[in-house]
Amino acid sequence: MKFLSKVVQPFIKCMHCVLSVGPMPSHIGFIMDGNRRYATKNKLKQVAGHEAGYSALLSMVTYCYEMGIKYVTAYAFSIMDLMTEKFELLCRKDSFFNGYGIRVHISRNLQLLPQHSRDTANKLMASTVNNSGLLLTICMAYTSTDEINHAVEKCCQEKWVKNDGGIISLADIEKRMYMKIAPDPDIIIRTSGESRLSNFLLWQTAGSYLYSTSALCPEIGIWHLVWAVFNFQRYQLFQKKKNKHLK
Amino acid sequence: MDFSNESRVLHRCSAQIGNLLLLSLWHLVHSIIRICNFTLDIANVLESYLISSGLLGRYKSLHIAKLRYLAIVIESEEAYQTSKIIELLQWLEAVGVKHVCLYDKEGILKKSKDFILENLDGAILFQDAHENNVLLDQQHMTLEFVSFSDGKEAVAKAANVLFMKYSKSGVTDQNQKEKIFTESQMSEALKTVGSGGPEPDLLLVYGPARCHLGFPAWRIKYTEIVHMGPLKSMNYGSLIKAIYKFTMVRQNYGK
């Protein structure tokens, strides 16, 4: 179980006090990329790179929790296998998630996960369903285009059953997206210097501030998060000024 | 009683002092960020000048063939600056970019479409130049004009097209858990409703922040997204640098 030390936690609380003078994001998305490059750079095995990436993800979730951010979504495309292994441990009552009161939601296309992974993912969600803190959504076996396609399929299936002659509206599609459980992200943070969204939350990021850092996934830390939030605040203040001017 | 009033006043004063301190710290950090960004902007302007004047050799030859389709996202307030947009398109034409998609959320650029096409020698609409939205070699630049209605609303229209098609085909009898549509069928449906353009390789954002502002989601799966700053500050050197960096990124795939 990973808790912040007695030195780090008050420091983050102070950062939060300063940051919260301005508008705070309620939802941050992470594209955690660069575990293999980290392993190569540090002459480690690939597994060690993925473990380091997994630890970095948990650290970022902790920092977000301490800063009062309500929703975190992580694209686990590079650590999917490792995450599935960790699910059993994370289901325990004394696990990291239960210790922080974090509720976990796995955003995925069920059909693409093996049966064992599906079962442990469902078990993890059930074990944290009563937690009322931060909602952590882990996107596994997920692509945005599959999410959109799936939502359209569900709308069509329900319309066939209803047979009321109505049309499928945008609101109908949005109600059936995997990510309907959270508001649209305010910030997307991508590691390893890439500037693509890689088929992640394409539908939900129309108004999101896209922040890219050259740090590899295991190298990401509190300062990257703080920097992203300060730049988000600058964007928000600009938008506020613009809207005032338009009125 | 006096003591408890005094302690309440003291508590209130300390809270106010604390809030003032936090506010000062917040403003201080934002001032530091403004100074950092200003310094970076000056460095970028200098670099852009060096690129424009040809003094930086590596930017002289661009592998422009790697950039098959370019998208430009413009903040709607700046989309009224059609002369700036025409200048930008002229730079792109000079560099050799053949296919450009212009996007702004509110469709201001769509309304200025005729004016832009008239003022850009030989430019034609993408839809008029291509069958089935396939990119072909063209002598002249093709332009596509896109807005928010070509994104999410187009997906809703495509959903209705798919529903009509498959309710006629009898696929409704299938088990509800089975997949009915593939992504390529969704792409076809989007083409049918007029929103099935190619996926841009590179998307340049002219606005206050790096944000795609609702560019059609289906088309930016693996698109490189680069922030260029506000349109009013656009310069040729930054444009060349962004395109050059993109062509270099493409070269590193697979290494």
Side-chain angles (χ1 to χ4, degrees):
Chain A
M1 186 167 60
K2 195 181 176 77
F3 285 123
L4 294 175
S5 72
K6 286 180 182 159
V7 171
V8 176
Q9 193 176 23
F11 171 73
I12 294 176
K13 289 277 184 209
C14 285
M15 287 300 323
H16 175 231
C17 287
V18 176
L19 279 169
S20 53
V21 172
M24 285 296 284
S26 64
H27 182 181
I28 298 182
F30 290 90
I31 304 177
M32 308 296 277
D33 192 17
N35 296 329
R36 278 188 281 256
R37 270 169 280 178
Y38 177 84
T40 308
K41 184 174 152 186
N42 293 281
K43 297 183 174 59
L44 301 168
K45 288 187 178 165
Q46 270 195 23
V47 166
H50 289 310
E51 285 276 1
Y54 169 75
S55 292
L57 172 61
L58 291 189
S59 296
M60 294 313 283
V61 169
T62 315
Y63 301 147
C64 288
Y65 172 86
E66 295 290 348
M67 288 212 211
I69 289 158
K70 294 280 174 233
Y71 302 92
V72 170
T73 302
Y75 198 14
F77 64 92
S78 58
I79 56 169
M80 194 172 85
D81 294 337
L82 180 68
M83 290 265 8
T84 316
E85 275 175 39
K86 301 283 184 189
F87 280 170
E88 287 286 356
L89 281 168
L90 292 168
C91 288
R92 285 165 31 183
K93 278 199 179 137
D94 61 346
S95 74
F96 166 78
F97 292 140
N98 286 318
Y100 272 102
I102 293 171
R103 186 160 66 101
V104 178
H105 173 78
I106 312 290
S107 190
R108 76 290 190 215
N109 182 339
L110 275 172
Q111 308 308 318
L112 298 176
L113 284 180
Q115 186 64 48
H116 171 71
S117 302
R118 236 181 286 168
D119 293 341
T120 42
N122 285 329
K123 194 175 161 190
L124 176 61
M125 286 193 286
S127 72
T128 59
V129 74
N130 294 319
N131 292 338
S132 55
L134 180 151
L135 172 66
L136 169 64
T137 303
I138 302 172
C139 292
M140 297 177 67
Y142 167 96
T143 62
S144 202
T145 44
D146 177 72
E147 181 187 18
I148 296 167
N149 213 46
H150 172 266
V152 167
E153 275 183 346
K154 282 278 161 241
C155 285
C156 290
Q157 283 168 346
E158 287 167 25
K159 200 163 131 62
W160 285 322
V161 166
K162 256 192 192 167
N163 199 23
D164 58 1
I167 60 164
I168 296 170
S169 68
L170 184 55
D172 294 331
I173 295 171
E174 296 205 310
K175 270 188 230 164
R176 285 150 189 90
M177 302 289 267
Y178 297 140
M179 289 300 300
K180 67 179 183 291
I181 45 138
D184 289 346
D186 298 296
I187 307 174
I188 298 288
I189 297 177
R190 175 149 196 171
T191 56
S192 72
E194 303 291 348
S195 58
R196 301 181 290 276
L197 285 170
S198 296
N199 216 340
F200 177 62
L201 300 187
L202 304 176
W203 184 272
Q204 293 86 354
T205 48
S208 306
Y209 170 63
L210 309 176
Y211 172 69
S212 174
T213 169
S214 56
L216 301 173
C217 170
E219 295 167 346
I220 194 173
I222 181 69
W223 293 114
H224 300 99
L225 180 64
V226 167
W227 186 253
V229 173
F230 270 120
N231 278 291
F232 161 78
Q233 288 182 339
R234 287 189 70 220
Y235 178 46
Q236 288 297 298
L237 292 169
F238 173 85
Q239 294 289 90
K240 204 175 167 184
K241 225 189 268 182
K242 186 186 80 174
N243 292 337
K244 240 191 217 173
H245 175 71
L246 287 173
K247 280 176 193 166
Chain B
M1 285 290 283
D2 287 341
F3 180 75
S4 68
N5 278 341
E6 274 174 21
S7 72
R8 245 183 271 134
V9 165
L10 195 66
H11 186 260
R12 226 179 298 142
C13 285
S14 333
Q16 280 175 351
I17 292 168
N19 287 339
L20 266 168
L21 191 65
L22 285 174
L23 188 66
S24 310
L25 272 169
W26 184 85
H27 278 290
L28 178 65
V29 175
H30 273 278
S31 301
I32 293 169
I33 294 173
R34 260 194 293 272
I35 293 167
C36 290
N37 284 333
F38 180 71
T39 313
L40 275 169
D41 287 344
I42 292 177
N44 284 335
V45 163
L46 281 168
E47 191 183 18
S48 299
Y49 171 75
L50 291 172
I51 295 170
S52 307
S53 53
L55 291 169
L56 289 177
R58 66 174 185 267
Y59 294 104
K60 279 184 182 170
S61 57
L62 292 177
H63 300 281
I64 204 71
K66 290 177 190 288
L67 180 56
R68 292 165 312 145
Y69 204 76
L70 174 71
I72 296 177
V73 167
I74 298 174
E75 180 81 13
S76 288
E77 284 70 39
E78 294 196 299
Y80 289 101
Q81 299 175 43
T82 39
S83 54
K84 278 272 183 195
I85 293 162
I86 290 165
E87 189 182 2
L88 177 62
L89 291 170
Q90 285 167 342
W91 289 344
L92 289 167
E93 198 174 25
V95 159
V97 176
K98 290 284 178 224
H99 309 287
V100 178
C101 176
L102 289 169
Y103 172 90
D104 79 283
K105 197 170 177 181
E106 287 163 32
I108 310 295
L109 292 170
K110 274 183 177 173
K111 292 175 191 164
S112 316
K113 177 174 68 177
D114 293 334
F115 181 78
I116 291 170
L117 286 167
E118 274 166 33
N119 284 277
L120 210 56
D121 288 335
I124 48 178
L125 276 178
F126 180 77
Q127 296 91 299
D128 297 341
H130 297 87
E131 272 188 26
N132 300 321
N133 290 322
V134 170
L135 291 174
L136 301 168
D137 281 332
Q138 290 286 332
Q139 290 291 343
H140 302 292
M141 184 181 260
T142 66
L143 294 179
E144 188 189 358
F145 293 86
V146 167
S147 68
F148 195 74
S149 60
D150 297 298
K152 292 183 179 183
E153 289 169 21
V155 169
K157 288 182 198 163
N160 286 290
V161 164
L162 284 167
F163 176 74
M164 292 306 297
K165 194 174 173 187
Y166 289 95
S167 58
K168 282 178 190 166
S169 70
V171 80
T172 52
D173 296 333
Q174 279 184 8
N175 183 331
Q176 295 234 329
K177 284 191 179 166
E178 284 180 21
K179 208 159 180 50
I180 309 164
F181 310 124
T182 61
E183 286 184 25
S184 53
Q185 285 165 331
M186 184 69 193
S187 300
E188 283 304 315
L190 282 165
K191 278 184 197 160
T192 307
V193 302
S195 299
E199 290 179 32
D201 303 299
L202 176 64
L203 189 146
L204 302 178
V205 180
Y206 284 93
R210 190 162 161 260
C211 176
H212 66 73
L213 300 178
F215 192 94
W218 203 259
R219 296 171 64 179
I220 51 167
K221 291 179 278 217
Y222 303 105
T223 304
E224 303 280 339
I225 301 172
V226 176
H227 181 224
M228 303 296 289
L231 189 69
K232 63 179 184 221
S233 318
M234 71 175 200
N235 60 70
Y236 182 74
S238 299
L239 181 66
I240 296 299
K241 184 180 171 185
I243 295 174
Y244 174 82
K245 271 184 147 175
F246 164 77
T247 59
M248 293 309 289
V249 166
R250 300 299 277 188
Q251 284 175 357
N252 288 336
Y253 280 175
K255 281 193 184 167

